[in-house]
Amino acid sequence: MSRAKVAVLISGRGSNMEALVRAARDPACPFEVTLVLANKPDAGGLAIAAEAGIEALAVDQKPFGKDREAHERAIDAALRQRGIEVVALAGYMRILTPFLVEAWEGRMLNIHPSLLPAYPGLDTHGRALAAGEVEAGCTVHLVTAGVDEGPILGQARVPILPGDTEHRLAERVLEQEHRLYAATLAEFVRGL
């Protein structure tokens, strides 16, 4: 079985990346994580990827200053040089320019910690709690030009419990993110 080559883009600790790497260890998994790329050289997930035997690459955003497209062109070149087929954003904390979105259109996924279309952007758990929601969750979607607006590929729901804090809710949602992202990515690449 030929497995799709996936690159995971991160900015920090990489817990969703770890979940994808774990899922890919199953011989029946239709994808393999062959590259973990961070926009920050000190992203904790790079060491985790390297320990797992996966190429860990930092394309530091700082030397590019405010030229986000130039930074993304360097990322795109790295992805193409390695034969990447699908890009999975996992805690990649940069809003993408049209260049990278269009270059990987239909082949770039993201995970977001809310039940989109509710609460795009940041502070999703705080906003859900403040609104008195009875449930929260996470969404895997295709990346499009609008922030967290792409077609939804999968969702997982988490009840909001009495006395929940942002931290407790975030922990429970993250558990579901780890399950949902791997399952949704597998289903997505099977359909390619």
Side-chain angles (χ1 to χ4, degrees):
M1 169 179 82
S2 173
R3 300 191 330 148
K5 289 184 173 186
V6 171
V8 182
L9 273 57
I10 63 170
S11 293
R13 64 185 177 159
S15 72
N16 272 307
M17 174 271 299
E18 277 188 279
L20 294 176
V21 168
R22 274 194 307 276
R25 288 186 185 132
D26 182 338
C29 183
F31 66 84
E32 59 181 327
V33 177
T34 59
L35 175 67
V36 172
L37 188 150
N39 60 314
K40 298 178 179 181
D42 61 350
L46 290 173
I48 293 166
E51 288 171 19
I54 296 165
E55 182 181 5
L57 175 66
V59 179
D60 190 354
Q61 67 191 38
K62 285 184 182 173
F64 295 91
K66 293 184 180 189
D67 192 346
R68 290 182 14 238
E69 184 175 318
H71 178 241
E72 290 177 3
R73 286 186 181 278
I75 290 171
D76 182 61
L79 297 172
R80 293 183 189 284
Q81 287 167 359
R82 289 156 178 84
I84 297 300
E85 297 167 89
V86 176
V87 176
L89 304 180
Y92 188 73
M93 302 306 289
R94 300 255 302 174
I95 294 175
L96 301 177
T97 70
F99 167 76
L100 199 62
V101 171
E102 290 169 13
W104 290 89
E105 184 177 1
R107 295 181 296 142
M108 183 184 293
L109 287 68
N110 184 40
I111 185 138
H112 182 74
S114 80
L115 295 172
L116 293 173
Y119 310 113
L122 301 174
D123 191 28
T124 58
H125 306 303
R127 290 189 289 155
L129 289 170
E133 300 285 0
V134 296
E135 67 180 359
C138 52
T139 303
V140 176
H141 64 93
L142 284 174
V143 175
T144 59
V147 175
D148 299 325
E149 290 180 356
I152 293 171
L153 302 176
Q155 291 186 315
R157 298 178 181 279
V158 174
I160 293 179
L161 305 175
D164 252 344
T165 64
E166 287 182 47
H167 179 74
R168 284 200 299 250
L169 179 58
E171 285 180 339
R172 290 199 321 280
V173 170
L174 188 60
E175 286 177 22
Q176 293 304 312
E177 287 181 44
H178 293 168
R179 292 183 184 104
L180 178 69
Y181 209 176
T184 304
L185 180 58
E187 185 177 327
F188 176 78
V189 299
R190 282 188 190 105
L192 289 179

mmCIF file of all heavy atoms in Angstrom, residues 136-165:
data_model
loop_
_atom_site.group_PDB
_atom_site.id
_atom_site.type_symbol
_atom_site.label_atom_id
_atom_site.label_comp_id
_atom_site.label_asym_id
_atom_site.label_seq_id
_atom_site.Cartn_x
_atom_site.Cartn_y
_atom_site.Cartn_z
ATOM 1 N N ALA A 136 -18.874 22.153 23.548
ATOM 2 C CA ALA A 136 -17.767 22.714 22.773
ATOM 3 C C ALA A 136 -17.260 21.568 21.905
ATOM 4 O O ALA A 136 -17.948 20.571 21.722
ATOM 5 C CB ALA A 136 -16.676 23.260 23.696
ATOM 6 N N GLY A 137 -16.057 21.699 21.405
ATOM 7 C CA GLY A 137 -15.513 20.611 20.607
ATOM 8 C C GLY A 137 -14.416 21.093 19.693
ATOM 9 O O GLY A 137 -13.774 22.122 19.945
ATOM 10 N N CYS A 138 -14.186 20.322 18.632
ATOM 11 C CA CYS A 138 -13.119 20.641 17.690
ATOM 12 C C CYS A 138 -13.564 20.276 16.287
ATOM 13 O O CYS A 138 -14.476 19.473 16.092
ATOM 14 C CB CYS A 138 -11.831 19.917 18.072
ATOM 15 S SG CYS A 138 -12.017 18.137 18.318
ATOM 16 N N THR A 139 -12.872 20.874 15.326
ATOM 17 C CA THR A 139 -13.225 20.730 13.916
ATOM 18 C C THR A 139 -11.965 20.548 13.086
ATOM 19 O O THR A 139 -10.994 21.278 13.265
ATOM 20 C CB THR A 139 -13.956 22.000 13.414
ATOM 21 O OG1 THR A 139 -15.104 22.237 14.226
ATOM 22 C CG2 THR A 139 -14.359 21.874 11.955
ATOM 23 N N VAL A 140 -11.993 19.600 12.164
ATOM 24 C CA VAL A 140 -10.959 19.504 11.132
ATOM 25 C C VAL A 140 -11.583 20.031 9.848
ATOM 26 O O VAL A 140 -12.698 19.654 9.483
ATOM 27 C CB VAL A 140 -10.467 18.053 10.936
ATOM 28 C CG1 VAL A 140 -9.461 17.978 9.776
ATOM 29 C CG2 VAL A 140 -9.850 17.506 12.210
ATOM 30 N N HIS A 141 -10.857 20.943 9.192
ATOM 31 C CA HIS A 141 -11.389 21.556 7.975
ATOM 32 C C HIS A 141 -10.279 21.758 6.955
ATOM 33 O O HIS A 141 -9.093 21.790 7.300
ATOM 34 C CB HIS A 141 -12.069 22.892 8.300
ATOM 35 C CG HIS A 141 -11.144 23.938 8.836
ATOM 36 N ND1 HIS A 141 -10.529 24.860 8.029
ATOM 37 C CD2 HIS A 141 -10.721 24.196 10.099
ATOM 38 C CE1 HIS A 141 -9.765 25.653 8.771
ATOM 39 N NE2 HIS A 141 -9.858 25.277 10.026
ATOM 40 N N LEU A 142 -10.691 21.902 5.710
ATOM 41 C CA LEU A 142 -9.745 22.280 4.672
ATOM 42 C C LEU A 142 -9.406 23.756 4.850
ATOM 43 O O LEU A 142 -10.263 24.546 5.263
ATOM 44 C CB LEU A 142 -10.340 22.058 3.280
ATOM 45 C CG LEU A 142 -10.410 20.609 2.797
ATOM 46 C CD1 LEU A 142 -11.154 20.532 1.470
ATOM 47 C CD2 LEU A 142 -9.022 20.012 2.661
ATOM 48 N N VAL A 143 -8.177 24.108 4.544
ATOM 49 C CA VAL A 143 -7.743 25.497 4.681
ATOM 50 C C VAL A 143 -8.118 26.263 3.423
ATOM 51 O O VAL A 143 -7.846 25.818 2.304
ATOM 52 C CB VAL A 143 -6.222 25.571 4.930
ATOM 53 C CG1 VAL A 143 -5.739 27.017 4.961
ATOM 54 C CG2 VAL A 143 -5.872 24.860 6.237
ATOM 55 N N THR A 144 -8.752 27.407 3.642
ATOM 56 C CA THR A 144 -9.101 28.330 2.559
ATOM 57 C C THR A 144 -8.609 29.719 2.962
ATOM 58 O O THR A 144 -8.050 29.893 4.052
ATOM 59 C CB THR A 144 -10.624 28.354 2.306
ATOM 60 O OG1 THR A 144 -11.282 28.748 3.512
ATOM 61 C CG2 THR A 144 -11.137 26.991 1.849
ATOM 62 N N ALA A 145 -8.867 30.695 2.120
ATOM 63 C CA ALA A 145 -8.362 32.044 2.377
ATOM 64 C C ALA A 145 -8.912 32.655 3.658
ATOM 65 O O ALA A 145 -8.224 33.404 4.338
ATOM 66 C CB ALA A 145 -8.671 32.946 1.185
ATOM 67 N N GLY A 146 -10.154 32.349 4.027
ATOM 68 C CA GLY A 146 -10.736 32.884 5.249
ATOM 69 C C GLY A 146 -10.270 32.115 6.468
ATOM 70 O O GLY A 146 -10.130 30.885 6.418
ATOM 71 N N VAL A 147 -10.017 32.803 7.568
ATOM 72 C CA VAL A 147 -9.539 32.141 8.784
ATOM 73 C C VAL A 147 -10.611 31.194 9.314
ATOM 74 O O VAL A 147 -11.729 31.620 9.616
ATOM 75 C CB VAL A 147 -9.157 33.184 9.863
ATOM 76 C CG1 VAL A 147 -8.772 32.508 11.164
ATOM 77 C CG2 VAL A 147 -8.009 34.050 9.367
ATOM 78 N N ASP A 148 -10.273 29.904 9.412
ATOM 79 C CA ASP A 148 -11.157 28.869 9.955
ATOM 80 C C ASP A 148 -12.506 28.800 9.234
ATOM 81 O O ASP A 148 -13.538 28.516 9.844
ATOM 82 C CB ASP A 148 -11.367 29.082 11.469
ATOM 83 C CG ASP A 148 -10.065 28.987 12.247
ATOM 84 O OD1 ASP A 148 -9.207 28.174 11.865
ATOM 85 O OD2 ASP A 148 -9.900 29.729 13.221
ATOM 86 N N GLU A 149 -12.496 29.050 7.919
ATOM 87 C CA GLU A 149 -13.741 29.067 7.151
ATOM 88 C C GLU A 149 -13.866 27.914 6.159
ATOM 89 O O GLU A 149 -14.902 27.773 5.517
ATOM 90 C CB GLU A 149 -13.859 30.376 6.359
ATOM 91 C CG GLU A 149 -14.094 31.588 7.213
ATOM 92 C CD GLU A 149 -14.203 32.870 6.406
ATOM 93 O OE1 GLU A 149 -14.022 32.828 5.164
ATOM 94 O OE2 GLU A 149 -14.461 33.914 7.017
ATOM 95 N N GLY A 150 -12.855 27.080 6.004
ATOM 96 C CA GLY A 150 -12.878 26.050 4.969
ATOM 97 C C GLY A 150 -13.900 24.966 5.229
ATOM 98 O O GLY A 150 -14.442 24.841 6.334
ATOM 99 N N PRO A 151 -14.176 24.155 4.195
ATOM 100 C CA PRO A 151 -15.136 23.065 4.327
ATOM 101 C C PRO A 151 -14.779 22.139 5.496
ATOM 102 O O PRO A 151 -13.625 21.749 5.666
ATOM 103 C CB PRO A 151 -15.031 22.319 2.996
ATOM 104 C CG PRO A 151 -14.508 23.333 2.035
ATOM 105 C CD PRO A 151 -13.611 24.219 2.836
ATOM 106 N N ILE A 152 -15.801 21.813 6.274
ATOM 107 C CA ILE A 152 -15.614 20.969 7.460
ATOM 108 C C ILE A 152 -15.527 19.511 7.030
ATOM 109 O O ILE A 152 -16.376 19.006 6.297
ATOM 110 C CB ILE A 152 -16.766 21.197 8.461
ATOM 111 C CG1 ILE A 152 -16.677 22.626 9.017
ATOM 112 C CG2 ILE A 152 -16.746 20.160 9.573
ATOM 113 C CD1 ILE A 152 -17.871 23.058 9.841
ATOM 114 N N LEU A 153 -14.484 18.828 7.529
ATOM 115 C CA LEU A 153 -14.279 17.412 7.227
ATOM 116 C C LEU A 153 -14.692 16.513 8.387
ATOM 117 O O LEU A 153 -14.993 15.339 8.184
ATOM 118 C CB LEU A 153 -12.811 17.155 6.873
ATOM 119 C CG LEU A 153 -12.262 17.945 5.691
ATOM 120 C CD1 LEU A 153 -10.776 17.676 5.502
ATOM 121 C CD2 LEU A 153 -13.032 17.606 4.418
ATOM 122 N N GLY A 154 -14.657 17.045 9.608
ATOM 123 C CA GLY A 154 -15.026 16.237 10.772
ATOM 124 C C GLY A 154 -15.109 17.088 12.021
ATOM 125 O O GLY A 154 -14.430 18.121 12.118
ATOM 126 N N GLN A 155 -15.944 16.660 12.965
ATOM 127 C CA GLN A 155 -16.074 17.360 14.240
ATOM 128 C C GLN A 155 -16.232 16.347 15.365
ATOM 129 O O GLN A 155 -16.722 15.235 15.154
ATOM 130 C CB GLN A 155 -17.291 18.304 14.251
ATOM 131 C CG GLN A 155 -17.131 19.496 13.337
ATOM 132 C CD GLN A 155 -18.264 20.489 13.459
ATOM 133 O OE1 GLN A 155 -19.425 20.122 13.483
ATOM 134 N NE2 GLN A 155 -17.915 21.770 13.530
ATOM 135 N N ALA A 156 -15.810 16.758 16.555
ATOM 136 C CA ALA A 156 -16.035 15.978 17.774
ATOM 137 C C ALA A 156 -16.595 16.930 18.821
ATOM 138 O O ALA A 156 -16.122 18.064 18.950
ATOM 139 C CB ALA A 156 -14.733 15.347 18.269
ATOM 140 N N ARG A 157 -17.601 16.475 19.533
ATOM 141 C CA ARG A 157 -18.287 17.313 20.524
ATOM 142 C C ARG A 157 -17.873 16.928 21.939
ATOM 143 O O ARG A 157 -17.640 15.760 22.220
ATOM 144 C CB ARG A 157 -19.798 17.180 20.352
ATOM 145 C CG ARG A 157 -20.242 17.675 18.985
ATOM 146 C CD ARG A 157 -21.734 17.511 18.738
ATOM 147 N NE ARG A 157 -22.067 17.994 17.405
ATOM 148 C CZ ARG A 157 -22.244 19.263 17.090
ATOM 149 N NH1 ARG A 157 -22.146 20.186 18.017
ATOM 150 N NH2 ARG A 157 -22.524 19.624 15.851
ATOM 151 N N VAL A 158 -17.816 17.947 22.788
ATOM 152 C CA VAL A 158 -17.433 17.779 24.187
ATOM 153 C C VAL A 158 -18.439 18.565 25.024
ATOM 154 O O VAL A 158 -18.632 19.764 24.788
ATOM 155 C CB VAL A 158 -16.002 18.322 24.441
ATOM 156 C CG1 VAL A 158 -15.654 18.288 25.913
ATOM 157 C CG2 VAL A 158 -14.987 17.538 23.626
ATOM 158 N N PRO A 159 -19.081 17.919 26.021
ATOM 159 C CA PRO A 159 -20.011 18.678 26.851
ATOM 160 C C PRO A 159 -19.268 19.682 27.731
ATOM 161 O O PRO A 159 -18.157 19.419 28.182
ATOM 162 C CB PRO A 159 -20.691 17.606 27.710
ATOM 163 C CG PRO A 159 -19.729 16.470 27.734
ATOM 164 C CD PRO A 159 -18.983 16.518 26.428
ATOM 165 N N ILE A 160 -19.895 20.828 27.932
ATOM 166 C CA ILE A 160 -19.368 21.787 28.899
ATOM 167 C C ILE A 160 -20.012 21.445 30.236
ATOM 168 O O ILE A 160 -21.243 21.386 30.342
ATOM 169 C CB ILE A 160 -19.660 23.237 28.469
ATOM 170 C CG1 ILE A 160 -18.864 23.549 27.185
ATOM 171 C CG2 ILE A 160 -19.313 24.214 29.591
ATOM 172 C CD1 ILE A 160 -19.078 24.939 26.634
ATOM 173 N N LEU A 161 -19.187 21.179 31.219
ATOM 174 C CA LEU A 161 -19.653 20.719 32.522
ATOM 175 C C LEU A 161 -19.806 21.882 33.494
ATOM 176 O O LEU A 161 -19.107 22.897 33.371
ATOM 177 C CB LEU A 161 -18.660 19.689 33.083
ATOM 178 C CG LEU A 161 -18.368 18.490 32.170
ATOM 179 C CD1 LEU A 161 -17.295 17.610 32.785
ATOM 180 C CD2 LEU A 161 -19.642 17.697 31.900
ATOM 181 N N PRO A 162 -20.690 21.740 34.493
ATOM 182 C CA PRO A 162 -20.818 22.792 35.498
ATOM 183 C C PRO A 162 -19.463 23.066 36.157
ATOM 184 O O PRO A 162 -18.727 22.128 36.489
ATOM 185 C CB PRO A 162 -21.814 22.204 36.510
ATOM 186 C CG PRO A 162 -22.585 21.177 35.732
ATOM 187 C CD PRO A 162 -21.612 20.627 34.727
ATOM 188 N N GLY A 163 -19.124 24.330 36.296
ATOM 189 C CA GLY A 163 -17.859 24.692 36.931
ATOM 190 C C GLY A 163 -16.640 24.579 36.035
ATOM 191 O O GLY A 163 -15.507 24.738 36.499
ATOM 192 N N ASP A 164 -16.848 24.293 34.761
ATOM 193 C CA ASP A 164 -15.709 24.180 33.840
ATOM 194 C C ASP A 164 -14.913 25.487 33.804
ATOM 195 O O ASP A 164 -15.482 26.576 33.823
ATOM 196 C CB ASP A 164 -16.184 23.866 32.418
ATOM 197 C CG ASP A 164 -15.870 22.449 31.990
ATOM 198 O OD1 ASP A 164 -15.035 21.791 32.645
ATOM 199 O OD2 ASP A 164 -16.476 21.993 31.011
ATOM 200 N N THR A 165 -13.614 25.339 33.725
ATOM 201 C CA THR A 165 -12.729 26.467 33.471
ATOM 202 C C THR A 165 -12.232 26.338 32.039
ATOM 203 O O THR A 165 -12.370 25.277 31.419
ATOM 204 C CB THR A 165 -11.517 26.460 34.421
ATOM 205 O OG1 THR A 165 -10.748 25.269 34.151
ATOM 206 C CG2 THR A 165 -11.951 26.493 35.881
#
